[in-house]
Amino acid sequence: MMRALLLTGLLAAPLCAAAATLDVAWWRDGRVQATQLHDGDPPPRPFDGARDVPLGSLWKLFVYVYAVDTRTPMPDYRCGGRDPEEVYCCTAGKTIARDAALAQSCGPFFAPHRLRIGAAPWRAYWSGRLGAEPAGELAWLASPANLTPERTVRLASLLRALASVPAESRAVAEGALLRVVLDGRGADTVRWFGSGLRVKTFSWHETPQRGGAAQRLGGAAGWLADGTPVWFAGTGTSAGIFRQWAPQLAAALPASLPTAPARDSGCVEVEFFARYPVRAVRGPAGPAASGPLHGRHVVQFENGNSLALQGNGDMLLARDDAGRPHVRGRFGVNEYVARVVDREGGTQEPEAAKALAVAARTYLQQNAQRAAGCQRIADSSATQRVSPNPASTAALAVARWTDQLVIEGATVRYHRDVPGPDTLAWTQAVAQARQGRRFDEVLAAAWPRGALGIAGNSGTRCNRLANNEAWLARALPRWERVLRAEAGYEQPAQLPAVCALAVGAPYSEQSRNRIFMRPLATREDRITLAHEYLHIGLRLHPRGQDEDYVERLARRLADMNPETL
């Protein structure tokens, strides 16, 4: 079944030999940009990006993206034990779900005939994404029948196709692919890439032009954290490529685009100064009014102390029923993590800062309460101390580099200078970093029973509720006439996924455009669905997190001719 091919820049070598070069390419400004890394003294040099490369198992990534974006059902695959390809899936009698199937490269899961993917809708989808009919160099995308591992494709067309994937669908795929550098074929290379590399691995055979023993070609393709499409390959297996080239590859990959939007997972509400009653908050013009804080303010405490803070609209002054002032913040998770790093540690030792960022994100996941689609936690020495000022550039870089990384399998605590079981001591982490330990080694020393994992927003698997989604799709055109009058309303780019809720109260994940609830059965269920949708659509509304306001509007929407919806 293997097709012989010759790839420029890949040296003939025995089957298991280490690669002498690694070809790396990415897509920016509408063209391929490329370099070739060398195992030794020669500096990196460009290679010819206008070349054919094998599709290998990358075809599964395109099926995954199509199915996610078109909401094609992807039922779990049950292994029967007869297909040799199931070695990448599961043992006989077990099943595998879509994200694990992508990360593990389970071919039978993504077989187009199993997922009932038709040629016409497939072609229409990619024509729409690419802005043209898949022809010429893009002919391999014209039909799902063309997606065979032995097919060779022009590298530019492969990267262009990856660039065409919608941000929402790409984010879903990236959530699965982040595991590659944790426990996939790139296992233990997270220390070099953090969460910045989201790629599908591939391996394929090739035969040198002049004959000789077959050799293996391994590599990966996908995206960087800012959405830049990337591809790399060398002689060997994909796992071997990661082991050999990770440090050099991490250094050679392009820096994030300065214009790329900083994606942030989830939202966090912080009750500031929870253990120190506030007497007053003063701004440049005198006592601050309730509402968002902009510019420099001074918080005066009942104990006589005061503290300056800078508000960018993400800090809010509110008053309780007795008229006492309270300061609250609302941030993305990475902004929150960066503020904790600034307050609890620092960034002078980057590896220690990365370890603290992972610990802070994990602590939030383990201890925060959930409210209105956000995580809620107090700023306190009893929980996590959070800087009331905007995060420093260095701390934000650390938070984004570790985006979604958490500790699994251990209860996370940390202290400034007192080490203990399942506790990260900041001063000890700094000392370890100065000794040359990477952030994952610092974490392993603090939590030997834990392991690095991916949080996403909640890490919860979505079992879709088709009836709920259909009702919402029918209701939205009527709702839009009302919601367009609401300041700050923004219709999601895609219909939110509605997921089955096993336990607890319904909630929405704003960053992942998901709603968790139970199947529709009553009027109250319809109100719940409207309520959680409003938390997504009104995330920019000045009262978008006001539960009373949202509930009143949800009841109004849900009762708009419900029998006809």
mmCIF file of all heavy atoms in Angstrom, residues 35-63:
data_model
loop_
_atom_site.group_PDB
_atom_site.id
_atom_site.type_symbol
_atom_site.label_atom_id
_atom_site.label_comp_id
_atom_site.label_asym_id
_atom_site.label_seq_id
_atom_site.Cartn_x
_atom_site.Cartn_y
_atom_site.Cartn_z
ATOM 1 N N THR A 35 12.301 26.957 6.716
ATOM 2 C CA THR A 35 13.697 26.855 7.103
ATOM 3 C C THR A 35 14.049 25.391 7.259
ATOM 4 O O THR A 35 13.152 24.542 7.392
ATOM 5 C CB THR A 35 13.986 27.640 8.396
ATOM 6 O OG1 THR A 35 15.399 27.699 8.616
ATOM 7 C CG2 THR A 35 13.324 26.973 9.594
ATOM 8 N N GLN A 36 15.336 25.090 7.247
ATOM 9 C CA GLN A 36 15.801 23.726 7.453
ATOM 10 C C GLN A 36 16.789 23.731 8.614
ATOM 11 O O GLN A 36 17.771 24.472 8.615
ATOM 12 C CB GLN A 36 16.477 23.169 6.193
ATOM 13 C CG GLN A 36 16.828 21.685 6.317
ATOM 14 C CD GLN A 36 17.486 21.153 5.060
ATOM 15 O OE1 GLN A 36 18.664 21.373 4.815
ATOM 16 N NE2 GLN A 36 16.699 20.442 4.245
ATOM 17 N N LEU A 37 16.509 22.899 9.619
ATOM 18 C CA LEU A 37 17.371 22.780 10.789
ATOM 19 C C LEU A 37 18.377 21.665 10.567
ATOM 20 O O LEU A 37 18.072 20.661 9.920
ATOM 21 C CB LEU A 37 16.537 22.506 12.038
ATOM 22 C CG LEU A 37 15.373 23.467 12.309
ATOM 23 C CD1 LEU A 37 14.681 23.093 13.605
ATOM 24 C CD2 LEU A 37 15.849 24.915 12.343
ATOM 25 N N HIS A 38 19.568 21.811 11.152
ATOM 26 C CA HIS A 38 20.635 20.828 10.991
ATOM 27 C C HIS A 38 21.054 20.292 12.342
ATOM 28 O O HIS A 38 21.109 21.027 13.329
ATOM 29 C CB HIS A 38 21.844 21.446 10.281
ATOM 30 C CG HIS A 38 21.579 21.800 8.859
ATOM 31 N ND1 HIS A 38 22.076 21.067 7.803
ATOM 32 C CD2 HIS A 38 20.842 22.790 8.306
ATOM 33 C CE1 HIS A 38 21.657 21.594 6.671
ATOM 34 N NE2 HIS A 38 20.912 22.647 6.955
ATOM 35 N N ASP A 39 21.363 19.009 12.390
ATOM 36 C CA ASP A 39 21.838 18.377 13.608
ATOM 37 C C ASP A 39 23.354 18.538 13.668
ATOM 38 O O ASP A 39 24.115 17.670 13.250
ATOM 39 C CB ASP A 39 21.466 16.885 13.615
ATOM 40 C CG ASP A 39 21.780 16.240 14.958
ATOM 41 O OD1 ASP A 39 22.077 16.983 15.912
ATOM 42 O OD2 ASP A 39 21.742 15.001 15.041
ATOM 43 N N GLY A 40 23.791 19.669 14.162
ATOM 44 C CA GLY A 40 25.218 19.954 14.200
ATOM 45 C C GLY A 40 25.467 21.434 14.079
ATOM 46 O O GLY A 40 24.599 22.269 14.356
ATOM 47 N N ASP A 41 26.648 21.772 13.620
ATOM 48 C CA ASP A 41 27.070 23.170 13.588
ATOM 49 C C ASP A 41 26.451 24.008 12.483
ATOM 50 O O ASP A 41 26.271 25.212 12.668
ATOM 51 C CB ASP A 41 28.602 23.258 13.486
ATOM 52 C CG ASP A 41 29.274 22.752 14.749
ATOM 53 O OD1 ASP A 41 28.640 22.836 15.811
ATOM 54 O OD2 ASP A 41 30.421 22.277 14.657
ATOM 55 N N PRO A 42 26.159 23.452 11.289
ATOM 56 C CA PRO A 42 25.648 24.338 10.229
ATOM 57 C C PRO A 42 24.408 25.086 10.699
ATOM 58 O O PRO A 42 23.512 24.505 11.327
ATOM 59 C CB PRO A 42 25.316 23.376 9.086
ATOM 60 C CG PRO A 42 26.178 22.184 9.336
ATOM 61 C CD PRO A 42 26.265 22.069 10.829
ATOM 62 N N PRO A 43 24.319 26.363 10.424
ATOM 63 C CA PRO A 43 23.139 27.125 10.852
ATOM 64 C C PRO A 43 21.913 26.736 10.036
ATOM 65 O O PRO A 43 22.035 26.152 8.960
ATOM 66 C CB PRO A 43 23.551 28.573 10.571
ATOM 67 C CG PRO A 43 24.541 28.466 9.449
ATOM 68 C CD PRO A 43 25.292 27.182 9.687
ATOM 69 N N PRO A 44 20.707 27.044 10.533
ATOM 70 C CA PRO A 44 19.504 26.766 9.742
ATOM 71 C C PRO A 44 19.570 27.467 8.391
ATOM 72 O O PRO A 44 20.118 28.554 8.269
ATOM 73 C CB PRO A 44 18.377 27.358 10.604
ATOM 74 C CG PRO A 44 18.942 27.405 11.982
ATOM 75 C CD PRO A 44 20.407 27.664 11.818
ATOM 76 N N ARG A 45 19.038 26.823 7.364
ATOM 77 C CA ARG A 45 19.009 27.428 6.040
ATOM 78 C C ARG A 45 17.652 27.152 5.398
ATOM 79 O O ARG A 45 16.984 26.164 5.748
ATOM 80 C CB ARG A 45 20.122 26.870 5.172
ATOM 81 C CG ARG A 45 20.006 25.391 4.874
ATOM 82 C CD ARG A 45 21.240 24.876 4.140
ATOM 83 N NE ARG A 45 21.085 23.470 3.793
ATOM 84 C CZ ARG A 45 22.099 22.716 3.372
ATOM 85 N NH1 ARG A 45 23.305 23.215 3.278
ATOM 86 N NH2 ARG A 45 21.883 21.445 3.057
ATOM 87 N N PRO A 46 17.216 27.989 4.476
ATOM 88 C CA PRO A 46 15.908 27.778 3.855
ATOM 89 C C PRO A 46 15.877 26.499 3.025
ATOM 90 O O PRO A 46 16.906 26.038 2.530
ATOM 91 C CB PRO A 46 15.743 29.014 2.967
ATOM 92 C CG PRO A 46 16.720 30.007 3.497
ATOM 93 C CD PRO A 46 17.862 29.213 4.036
ATOM 94 N N PHE A 47 14.712 25.920 2.883
ATOM 95 C CA PHE A 47 14.532 24.831 1.935
ATOM 96 C C PHE A 47 13.405 25.216 0.988
ATOM 97 O O PHE A 47 12.685 26.183 1.215
ATOM 98 C CB PHE A 47 14.253 23.505 2.644
ATOM 99 C CG PHE A 47 12.838 23.371 3.162
ATOM 100 C CD1 PHE A 47 11.837 22.824 2.381
ATOM 101 C CD2 PHE A 47 12.507 23.767 4.454
ATOM 102 C CE1 PHE A 47 10.543 22.702 2.851
ATOM 103 C CE2 PHE A 47 11.221 23.637 4.940
ATOM 104 C CZ PHE A 47 10.231 23.104 4.137
ATOM 105 N N ASP A 48 13.252 24.463 -0.054
ATOM 106 C CA ASP A 48 12.266 24.777 -1.081
ATOM 107 C C ASP A 48 10.870 24.428 -0.577
ATOM 108 O O ASP A 48 10.524 23.253 -0.454
ATOM 109 C CB ASP A 48 12.592 23.998 -2.364
ATOM 110 C CG ASP A 48 11.613 24.308 -3.488
ATOM 111 O OD1 ASP A 48 10.829 25.277 -3.329
ATOM 112 O OD2 ASP A 48 11.637 23.602 -4.501
ATOM 113 N N GLY A 49 10.070 25.445 -0.291
ATOM 114 C CA GLY A 49 8.719 25.194 0.179
ATOM 115 C C GLY A 49 7.762 24.802 -0.922
ATOM 116 O O GLY A 49 6.659 24.313 -0.661
ATOM 117 N N ALA A 50 8.143 24.986 -2.174
ATOM 118 C CA ALA A 50 7.290 24.631 -3.314
ATOM 119 C C ALA A 50 7.548 23.172 -3.673
ATOM 120 O O ALA A 50 8.217 22.863 -4.661
ATOM 121 C CB ALA A 50 7.567 25.546 -4.487
ATOM 122 N N ARG A 51 7.001 22.259 -2.904
ATOM 123 C CA ARG A 51 7.287 20.840 -3.072
ATOM 124 C C ARG A 51 6.088 20.021 -2.651
ATOM 125 O O ARG A 51 5.150 20.524 -2.027
ATOM 126 C CB ARG A 51 8.496 20.453 -2.223
ATOM 127 C CG ARG A 51 8.346 20.898 -0.782
ATOM 128 C CD ARG A 51 9.528 20.514 0.067
ATOM 129 N NE ARG A 51 9.312 19.229 0.684
ATOM 130 C CZ ARG A 51 10.057 18.763 1.692
ATOM 131 N NH1 ARG A 51 11.052 19.479 2.158
ATOM 132 N NH2 ARG A 51 9.818 17.590 2.217
ATOM 133 N N ASP A 52 6.118 18.770 -3.023
ATOM 134 C CA ASP A 52 5.054 17.854 -2.633
ATOM 135 C C ASP A 52 5.451 17.132 -1.352
ATOM 136 O O ASP A 52 6.620 16.772 -1.165
ATOM 137 C CB ASP A 52 4.803 16.828 -3.729
ATOM 138 C CG ASP A 52 4.162 17.446 -4.968
ATOM 139 O OD1 ASP A 52 3.552 18.528 -4.814
ATOM 140 O OD2 ASP A 52 4.279 16.865 -6.053
ATOM 141 N N VAL A 53 4.468 16.921 -0.494
ATOM 142 C CA VAL A 53 4.691 16.209 0.766
ATOM 143 C C VAL A 53 3.583 15.170 0.917
ATOM 144 O O VAL A 53 2.500 15.306 0.361
ATOM 145 C CB VAL A 53 4.686 17.180 1.968
ATOM 146 C CG1 VAL A 53 5.810 18.191 1.849
ATOM 147 C CG2 VAL A 53 3.338 17.878 2.109
ATOM 148 N N PRO A 54 3.841 14.110 1.676
ATOM 149 C CA PRO A 54 2.792 13.097 1.855
ATOM 150 C C PRO A 54 1.717 13.584 2.815
ATOM 151 O O PRO A 54 2.003 14.257 3.800
ATOM 152 C CB PRO A 54 3.568 11.914 2.451
ATOM 153 C CG PRO A 54 4.687 12.549 3.192
ATOM 154 C CD PRO A 54 5.076 13.756 2.390
ATOM 155 N N LEU A 55 0.478 13.252 2.506
ATOM 156 C CA LEU A 55 -0.621 13.602 3.405
ATOM 157 C C LEU A 55 -0.556 12.757 4.670
ATOM 158 O O LEU A 55 -0.805 13.248 5.770
ATOM 159 C CB LEU A 55 -1.956 13.404 2.685
ATOM 160 C CG LEU A 55 -3.198 13.936 3.388
ATOM 161 C CD1 LEU A 55 -3.081 15.424 3.662
ATOM 162 C CD2 LEU A 55 -4.433 13.657 2.536
ATOM 163 N N GLY A 56 -0.183 11.467 4.520
ATOM 164 C CA GLY A 56 -0.105 10.598 5.691
ATOM 165 C C GLY A 56 -1.403 10.630 6.478
ATOM 166 O O GLY A 56 -2.497 10.709 5.917
ATOM 167 N N SER A 57 -1.290 10.620 7.794
ATOM 168 C CA SER A 57 -2.493 10.592 8.628
ATOM 169 C C SER A 57 -3.077 11.977 8.875
ATOM 170 O O SER A 57 -4.038 12.110 9.631
ATOM 171 C CB SER A 57 -2.179 9.923 9.970
ATOM 172 O OG SER A 57 -1.129 10.605 10.636
ATOM 173 N N LEU A 58 -2.546 13.007 8.213
ATOM 174 C CA LEU A 58 -3.113 14.344 8.365
ATOM 175 C C LEU A 58 -4.530 14.431 7.817
ATOM 176 O O LEU A 58 -5.279 15.360 8.152
ATOM 177 C CB LEU A 58 -2.227 15.379 7.672
ATOM 178 C CG LEU A 58 -0.808 15.549 8.244
ATOM 179 C CD1 LEU A 58 -0.030 16.559 7.426
ATOM 180 C CD2 LEU A 58 -0.863 15.962 9.712
ATOM 181 N N TRP A 59 -4.919 13.468 6.960
ATOM 182 C CA TRP A 59 -6.279 13.487 6.422
ATOM 183 C C TRP A 59 -7.315 13.446 7.547
ATOM 184 O O TRP A 59 -8.408 14.017 7.423
ATOM 185 C CB TRP A 59 -6.496 12.323 5.449
ATOM 186 C CG TRP A 59 -6.460 10.950 6.060
ATOM 187 C CD1 TRP A 59 -5.376 10.142 6.188
ATOM 188 C CD2 TRP A 59 -7.574 10.224 6.609
ATOM 189 N NE1 TRP A 59 -5.727 8.948 6.792
ATOM 190 C CE2 TRP A 59 -7.076 8.979 7.062
ATOM 191 C CE3 TRP A 59 -8.923 10.504 6.770
ATOM 192 C CZ2 TRP A 59 -7.885 8.013 7.666
ATOM 193 C CZ3 TRP A 59 -9.743 9.548 7.367
ATOM 194 C CH2 TRP A 59 -9.215 8.315 7.807
ATOM 195 N N LYS A 60 -6.975 12.800 8.669
ATOM 196 C CA LYS A 60 -7.927 12.682 9.777
ATOM 197 C C LYS A 60 -8.245 14.047 10.376
ATOM 198 O O LYS A 60 -9.371 14.294 10.838
ATOM 199 C CB LYS A 60 -7.348 11.756 10.841
ATOM 200 C CG LYS A 60 -7.038 10.355 10.314
ATOM 201 C CD LYS A 60 -6.074 9.608 11.210
ATOM 202 C CE LYS A 60 -5.523 8.376 10.483
ATOM 203 N NZ LYS A 60 -4.449 7.696 11.202
ATOM 204 N N LEU A 61 -7.266 14.944 10.371
ATOM 205 C CA LEU A 61 -7.489 16.283 10.906
ATOM 206 C C LEU A 61 -8.517 17.033 10.072
ATOM 207 O O LEU A 61 -9.376 17.746 10.616
ATOM 208 C CB LEU A 61 -6.163 17.045 10.948
ATOM 209 C CG LEU A 61 -6.199 18.490 11.447
ATOM 210 C CD1 LEU A 61 -6.832 18.579 12.824
ATOM 211 C CD2 LEU A 61 -4.790 19.074 11.461
ATOM 212 N N PHE A 62 -8.475 16.872 8.757
ATOM 213 C CA PHE A 62 -9.430 17.576 7.898
ATOM 214 C C PHE A 62 -10.837 17.005 8.038
ATOM 215 O O PHE A 62 -11.824 17.743 7.974
ATOM 216 C CB PHE A 62 -8.939 17.546 6.454
ATOM 217 C CG PHE A 62 -7.735 18.404 6.237
ATOM 218 C CD1 PHE A 62 -6.458 17.861 6.283
ATOM 219 C CD2 PHE A 62 -7.869 19.763 6.047
ATOM 220 C CE1 PHE A 62 -5.336 18.651 6.121
ATOM 221 C CE2 PHE A 62 -6.756 20.579 5.889
ATOM 222 C CZ PHE A 62 -5.488 20.017 5.922
ATOM 223 N N VAL A 63 -10.953 15.690 8.241
ATOM 224 C CA VAL A 63 -12.268 15.105 8.512
ATOM 225 C C VAL A 63 -12.808 15.626 9.840
ATOM 226 O O VAL A 63 -13.990 15.973 9.966
ATOM 227 C CB VAL A 63 -12.178 13.563 8.516
ATOM 228 C CG1 VAL A 63 -13.497 12.945 8.981
ATOM 229 C CG2 VAL A 63 -11.823 13.043 7.125
#
